[in-house]
Each structure stands twice: as structure tokens, then as C-alpha cells.
Amino acid sequence: MHSIWTAAERIEWLLALALFLLFLAALYSAPARASDIYSAALPALGVAERTVDGINTTRGTDMLIVYTPGTGRATTGTNQWGYEVVVEDGYVVAAGGNNSPIPQNGFVVSAHGASIPWLQENAPVGARVTLNGRELRITVDAESHKRLAAEVLRYTEEVLGTAWDMVPRASQDEVAHSMDRAQAALMDGEYGKAIQLAGEARFYGTPSLPVELRGIWHRPVERSPIAVRHTLDQLAAAGFNALFLETFYTGYTIYPSAIAPQRGEFVGWDPLQVWAEEAAARGIELHLWVHLFHLGRITVDMHPDWANLQRDGSIGAALEPGLYYGDPGHPEVREYVFSVLREMVERYPVTGLHLDYVRYPNTNSLANTSGYSPKARELFKEVSGYDPMDISPSTHPTVWAEWLKWQEQNITSFVERVAAWRDEHHPDLILSAAVVPDIDEAIRTKRQNWLAWTEAGWLDLVTPMIYSLDNGHVAGQIAALSGKTGSAWFVPGLAPFMGMSPHQVIDQVMSSRAAGQPGAVLFALHSVDARHMDAYAKGLFSMKAGTPWNVRGALASFAAWIIEGMNRWVAEDILPADTALELDNFAHDVARWLEQGPDAPVKGEWLDTLRDAHRALDSPFYETRGQWLRMQIGLMVEVLGRAEGA
């Protein structure tokens, strides 16, 4: 979907991806691929038998365990690094995920590690399953195909019902047409066709909400202005409203810099100028995605004294093979990184600055700690009296704790500096950061106390990288972080690069929405193909959306959404008639206001109108029926409330 990659580019990207996956593997065992009942081919016919490793016992490495109601628990209690199928009345009714509910009329088969592929291959939804002692027998026959198709249609109708009233009328018509054809295909025994049509219905039946960040990360491969325009056209057509463009990474800039070397493939032109101009022309926000302290081999070779040394004196990051960091404890490193950020922001008209690798290299033991450049050791000794090479958690626990806090403060004070500079010179710039979701892990393994940054009000947006194929785990992580990111908007980073289908991405975006978060950022554009773009355009991102910090854009899309849905919501008892009248007046007033141009002030009474509407939906009758509408009104209240308090 982008310009054609050269062999060298493919090798470079594949190497980077392989290194990242190796890094993940070093931290965890590999998670199972999440199940997508729409995209898989009809399973092969046959019988599979296997002795399970235990019943109602702890799932260990490579084990296959069965959990029955006799365990006394409501769910299996397993972590995200496995794969499970739920069996009810002798048939598989759900596949994928972990910590599954244990049915009273069946059991759960749970796999880890080497057992995952066997369970994925042999136990599709619809398969017949028997358990005799510890002997498991799974049969896939023609009846299984029929059951699979029927279950897909049933599941589709169930999912469509969760937010049906938020789906535009035209899209509802497309859903009805696809589902009618799917039912006919099921009756005719065309089970694969029935599943495909149900998937189409699900695309059209996914609501498009008016206020959210629809972002995507992208490392540019486009070699010409024509290629840049082509990529941005595709993003606009699919409904994305923000691009996080990698502009400074592995020590190189993509633009001709007076400070850092420009990447060789871009020498001779200024791609960032083209990206900035063309993104603005399409209404797509451009956020400069920058690596901070991961400065690449070129930088540490040019400045050996800047290198972030491991405890053994090596320059590479032990748990991140191929990555080379500058030492955040070295003042010259910090000044260099800041000067690059300042240069690009002052040179190009962009919406935001997005900080990545704003941390030390990953660590999980004393041996692979880092930050031992001669300058950092000297500075810490000045404040503590100790060379950090001479201390350890066991020999000097108090001083060691000071050393870790000193490193943490090196990162935190840098973010504070960037924020202060932004506030003084570029107050409209959206400052954001990609961070480790678990704050305790972030501090312990990377000295990244991002919660302190959000609580201090330095960031406008935080994007925790919640990368998992387990939708339940993702939903749990989002719920755990909701309301806990200080003044920063929280939008999760999701991982289609791990092999997600469009349906799986939709599931995770809907989890973010259901938790009240305004959108998602996808990693990354190289893994989002034409199937994804088509799916998002049909439903998920079909209506225009404004980002929550763009008050004018948010008001415009929200008002259009209100006008489109108003009559249906009243007719279906989702919205009280008097509240509907107030919202209708508000929406048309916004439409007139938009015609006055970008300098027209926001009307203060709009916030009162929306607060009244939000309260009207708090009643027991409306709080469930109008939950999605209430959520969006609440989000718009927050958008206007923040703007009023700015």
C-alpha cells in the first residue's frame, strides 16, 4: 500500500522487527494468536486425540490443562500467555484468550507454549469435544462447519446489539443486507460464505464515534512527494485523523538537519516538509515521533563518551539487541537530544511532539543495569560520595536506591524541560509520550516514571503500549489505567503488527471506547493492509472525528453526529424528548458558529447544555439504553471543560 520497498529497506525493517520480538521473548513466553472467527478458513475435517496434562491444576510451561466447574472458580485464572477454548454441551463455543469463564455445562481446555498450536489447529468453534478421564477427543465434521457458521451469525447479532443505536442509518441498511445474505448462505450450506458475509455486517455495524484520536505510528519509506501523498490519501480515506511520523530514530533525522545526520535514503530532499504540508491539507494531525535516548550506533561511535555503558563496560543494550543508547545522565547527551527536538518543532508546522525511548535501556538484574558512562559516574559521586560501579543492592542498599532515583530523575527532569520550553514557546503543541503501561514495571526496569509527568501536567497525551493479542488482557490494562493518567488524555497503543485481523483491531478499539478513552494509536502502518483500511472505512472510522484537544474539530464532528442520530435516538427511547430538543438546538448553533471561521469564540452556554444532557442520561431508565451517547456527551463535556480552564 506504500511505495515499493527496496531489498535493503525490507531487510532493515525485518531486522528491527525481529530484534523487537526477541526483546519481547526475553521478557515473556510468546502469547497465543488471538482467535478471529471471521477470518479463518473452515477447519479441516478429522479427529484429534490427546492426553491432557492435568485437570483443575496450575497451567505450567507447554501444558494442556482442563478446567471444570469442580475447580470452584468462576474463571480459569490463567495469565495472557496462553490460549483457551470453551466447551459447552460437548461443543466448542469460543476460542482464544485466557482467564475464560468456566461453564456449568462444560469445561475449558487451556494451552500454554508448545501446546498452543495443537489446540488452535484441532479445536475450532463448532468442534465436538469429549473428555474421558484425561483423554481428550476432538472431532471436526460437516456438522461442525454448520455449527461454526451458526455461532458466527449468532455472535455477530450479539455484538451488533451492543451499540446498534450509534450506527448511522445507511450503515444499518448495509448490515441488514449482509445479514440477510449470510442467513441465506447458512440455509444453503455455504458456510464459508455465511461467515464472510457476517464479517462484512460486523464491519458496517461497528459505530463511528465523533470525538477520538484515530492515530497510527509510521516509519517513512516513501521516497517522493507522490508516494507521501498516496499514503496520506489512504489514511484519510480510512478515517485516520493523526499520524505519528518517525522523524528522528537510531541517531538519524529524516529531514536535512543542522545537528544530526540525515538518513541516506532521504538525502536530496526534505520529506518532513512534504509530510507536514500534505497532512495538513487532508486534515490529518502530524505528530513528530522521536527516539530520545536510543541514539543508535552512529551517535555513540561519533561520541564514545556519550555511550550508555552497561555494568560490564559494553555499549549495547543487553536486553535490547542492536540498540545503542546515549546516557541520560550525561549533560551533553541531554543537550544534544533537546537541540534536535527544538530544531524540528521550530522548523515545521506540526500538531504534536511524541516522545519515545524516553527511558534507560531495559534491565532485570544487576548485571544488565546501565548508565555507567564516566561522566554519569562522576556526577553521581559528586552528590552521593559513591561511584555507582562500587555499589550494589546487597552491599549498599540505601545508596543503590539513591542511584536508581538519580537515574529516574534524569529522565523526569528532561521531560520537565521539554514541557517548560513547549509552554513558553509553542503552547499549542501537543506533547505526548509512548510509555510502558505498568507504572511499577516502567520505573523498575526503565526508570520511566511517566505517572509523575502526567500528574505534573507536562503531557497532553500518554499512549501506553498495550501490545497483546489477548483482547481480555488489553481490556483489563485499559480499565486499570482509566482515570489514572493525571491531566493527560489516555489513549492506548495497540499492536496490529503482532498479526491482528481487522476484526481483532476493532475489538480492542471498542474496548478502549467502552472504558471511556478517546480512541487508539495503532502500531504500525506497515502492518495495516488494504483489508484493514477497508474495514475501518466501512464502520469504525466511517464518520469524521475530531481529536479531543482540537476543540473546533471535536465540536464540528460531534454536532454532525448529533444531527444524524437525533430522530432515531428519540424514537428508540434513548434520549428524552426535551433533552433532544436542547441538543438539536446546540448542534445547529455549532454549525452556524463554524461558518464564522476559526477565530470565533466557543460559547460558554454550550458546556452547560451538554452537562444538562449528561445528567438527563444518568437516570436508571437511560443509563443503560443510552450509555454510548452518554459517554460521548461526557467526553465532549471534558473537551470543553479543559478548553475553558486552559
Side-chain angles (χ1 to χ4, degrees):
M1 59 170 292
H2 314 302
S3 55
I4 298 175
W5 290 18
T6 65
E9 287 171 332
R10 290 182 181 277
I11 291 172
E12 178 184 354
W13 182 254
L14 289 171
L15 177 59
L17 181 58
L19 291 173
F20 181 72
L21 292 175
L22 283 173
F23 165 57
L24 287 180
L27 292 176
Y28 315 104
S29 58
R33 179 179 298 276
S35 177
D36 176 6
I37 57 177
Y38 296 104
S39 302
L42 289 175
L45 305 180
V47 177
E49 296 178 325
R50 178 165 170 174
T51 302
V52 302
D53 297 300
I55 297 178
N56 296 335
T57 60
T58 301
R59 186 183 71 187
T61 303
D62 298 331
M63 294 177 70
L64 189 70
I65 303 296
V66 168
Y67 293 97
T68 73
T71 190
R73 297 196 301 263
T75 67
T76 59
T78 50
N79 62 29
Q80 65 165 313
W81 309 108
Y83 181 88
E84 295 179 342
V85 300
V86 179
V87 179
E88 292 186 7
D89 296 324
Y91 292 92
V92 177
V93 297
N98 297 275
N99 195 27
S100 303
I102 302 172
Q104 291 301 307
N105 57 338
F107 51 87
V108 176
V109 186
S110 181
H112 180 274
S115 294
I116 291 174
W118 184 89
L119 190 60
Q120 288 177 317
E121 180 180 351
N122 293 297
V125 171
R128 186 166 69 252
V129 183
T130 59
L131 181 66
N132 184 10
R134 288 173 54 192
E135 301 304 316
L136 190 69
R137 180 182 176 90
I138 304 172
T139 303
V140 177
D141 53 21
E143 180 65 20
S144 301
H145 289 179
K146 181 179 180 179
R147 282 182 169 273
L148 171 59
E151 173 60 23
V152 170
L153 268 63
R154 185 209 63 77
Y155 171 77
T156 302
E157 291 176 348
E158 176 185 308
V159 172
L160 291 174
T162 60
W164 180 248
D165 302 308
M166 300 297 104
V167 177
R169 178 67 71 191
S171 296
Q172 289 183 346
D173 292 342
E174 292 286 355
V175 171
H177 179 60
S178 294
M179 288 301 289
D180 286 345
R181 294 175 62 203
Q183 289 287 356
L186 178 63
M187 295 295 292
D188 292 340
E190 298 179 275
Y191 303 129
K193 182 179 180 180
I195 292 171
Q196 183 267 324
L197 287 167
E200 284 292 301
R202 201 289 174 88
F203 289 152
Y204 282 113
T206 301
S208 184
L209 300 182
V211 184
E212 65 181 0
L213 172 65
R214 301 168 180 173
I216 194 162
W217 283 290
H218 179 45
R219 172 173 290 185
V221 296
E222 294 77 4
R223 298 296 186 87
S224 69
I226 292 176
V228 170
R229 287 192 285 270
H230 176 65
T231 295
L232 287 168
D233 283 343
Q234 290 183 310
L235 289 174
F240 286 95
N241 59 17
L243 173 63
F244 292 75
L245 186 73
E246 204 168 19
T247 50
F248 177 56
Y249 56 100
T250 63
Y252 294 90
T253 60
I254 67 169
Y255 64 92
S257 169
I259 301 169
Q262 185 181 18
R263 291 193 67 84
E265 63 266 34
F266 298 127
V267 170
W269 68 300
D270 188 344
L272 186 49
Q273 185 66 41
V274 178
W275 282 104
E277 292 174 356
E278 297 293 342
R282 290 159 178 78
I284 296 175
E285 296 182 357
L286 187 67
H287 297 249
L288 303 174
W289 169 23
V290 295
H291 294 199
L292 296 190
F293 298 111
H294 165 32
L295 292 175
R297 185 64 185 256
I298 184 173
T299 307
V300 298
D301 282 350
M302 291 172 59
H303 304 278
D305 57 316
W306 290 4
N308 189 355
L309 301 180
Q310 301 277 137
R311 195 168 176 89
D312 64 2
S314 59
I315 63 172
L319 297 183
E320 300 172 68
L323 272 59
Y324 298 88
Y325 286 72
D327 193 333
H330 197 308
E332 291 179 13
V333 170
R334 294 155 61 85
E335 188 61 37
Y336 175 76
V337 172
F338 180 77
S339 67
V340 175
L341 302 185
R342 181 174 56 199
E343 177 189 56
M344 66 176 69
V345 169
E346 293 180 347
R347 184 182 296 184
Y348 301 97
V350 298
T351 300
L353 177 63
H354 183 61
L355 311 180
D356 197 4
Y357 290 95
V358 54
R359 59 179 178 82
Y360 278 77
N362 186 56
T363 181
N364 63 7
S365 70
L366 175 64
N368 56 43
T369 54
S370 65
Y372 298 99
S373 69
K375 186 63 176 179
R377 291 167 58 185
E378 172 192 328
L379 291 175
F380 181 72
K381 188 171 184 178
E382 287 179 4
V383 298
S384 71
Y386 290 86
D387 183 338
M389 286 293 291
D390 296 334
I391 63 175
S392 73
S394 58
T395 62
H396 300 78
T398 302
V399 183
W400 183 258
E402 291 179 25
W403 165 240
L404 300 186
K405 194 66 178 179
W406 185 80
Q407 290 191 325
E408 178 189 315
Q409 186 58 27
N410 289 333
I411 304 297
T412 293
S413 62
F414 184 83
V415 176
E416 181 181 19
R417 180 187 181 187
V418 173
W421 164 77
R422 184 277 308 269
D423 291 345
E424 181 177 356
H425 299 286
H426 304 276
D428 294 330
L429 186 74
I430 301 301
L431 185 61
S432 63
V435 300
V436 176
D438 185 286
I439 186 62
D440 294 331
E441 178 189 345
I443 296 172
R444 183 180 69 257
T445 65
K446 298 178 177 66
R447 319 295 182 247
Q448 184 187 72
N449 189 354
W450 60 262
L451 187 58
W453 317 339
T454 61
E455 290 178 341
W458 300 334
L459 296 182
D460 301 295
L461 167 70
V462 62
T463 59
M465 297 173 285
I466 306 179
Y467 295 165
S468 176
L469 292 171
D470 187 328
N471 295 341
H473 173 77
V474 170
Q477 287 262 290
I478 293 171
L481 289 173
S482 296
K484 299 177 182 176
T485 59
S487 63
W489 293 103
F490 158 41
V491 172
L494 305 178
F497 84 96
M498 298 180 79
M500 290 186 199
S501 72
H503 287 287
Q504 292 164 329
V505 174
I506 288 170
D507 284 341
Q508 295 192 3
V509 172
M510 288 297 287
S511 291
S512 179
R513 290 174 170 180
Q517 306 313 323
V521 185
L522 306 185
F523 185 83
L525 186 51
H526 74 273
S527 57
V528 175
D529 59 23
R531 297 175 308 127
H532 286 255
M533 294 296 193
D534 179 63
Y536 306 155
K538 285 176 176 174
L540 189 71
F541 298 158
S542 58
M543 294 183 68
K544 190 171 183 179
T547 55
W549 42 84
N550 178 358
V551 176
R552 183 178 176 84
L555 276 168
S557 56
F558 182 78
W561 184 71
I562 289 289
I563 292 170
E564 193 281 332
M566 180 64 62
N567 291 335
R568 289 184 291 115
W569 299 336
V570 173
E572 294 159 7
D573 281 334
I574 290 172
L575 191 62
D578 56 343
T579 303
L581 180 60
E582 292 179 5
L583 284 176
D584 190 56
N585 290 335
F586 154 81
H588 284 89
D589 196 22
V590 168
R592 290 188 293 271
W593 169 79
L594 290 167
E595 295 174 354
Q596 299 174 27
D599 296 327
V602 174
K603 296 185 178 182
E605 61 265 28
W606 289 345
L607 184 55
D608 293 333
T609 297
L610 293 175
R611 283 173 173 159
D612 288 343
H614 194 257
R615 281 192 292 268
L617 293 173
D618 275 340
S619 70
F621 181 79
Y622 290 108
E623 65 181 357
T624 299
R625 300 171 66 86
Q627 61 179 333
W628 285 98
L629 179 59
R630 181 178 180 276
M631 212 178 305
Q632 281 296 295
I633 293 174
L635 181 57
M636 200 65 226
V637 166
E638 187 172 1
V639 168
L640 292 183
R642 290 190 183 207
E644 188 177 78

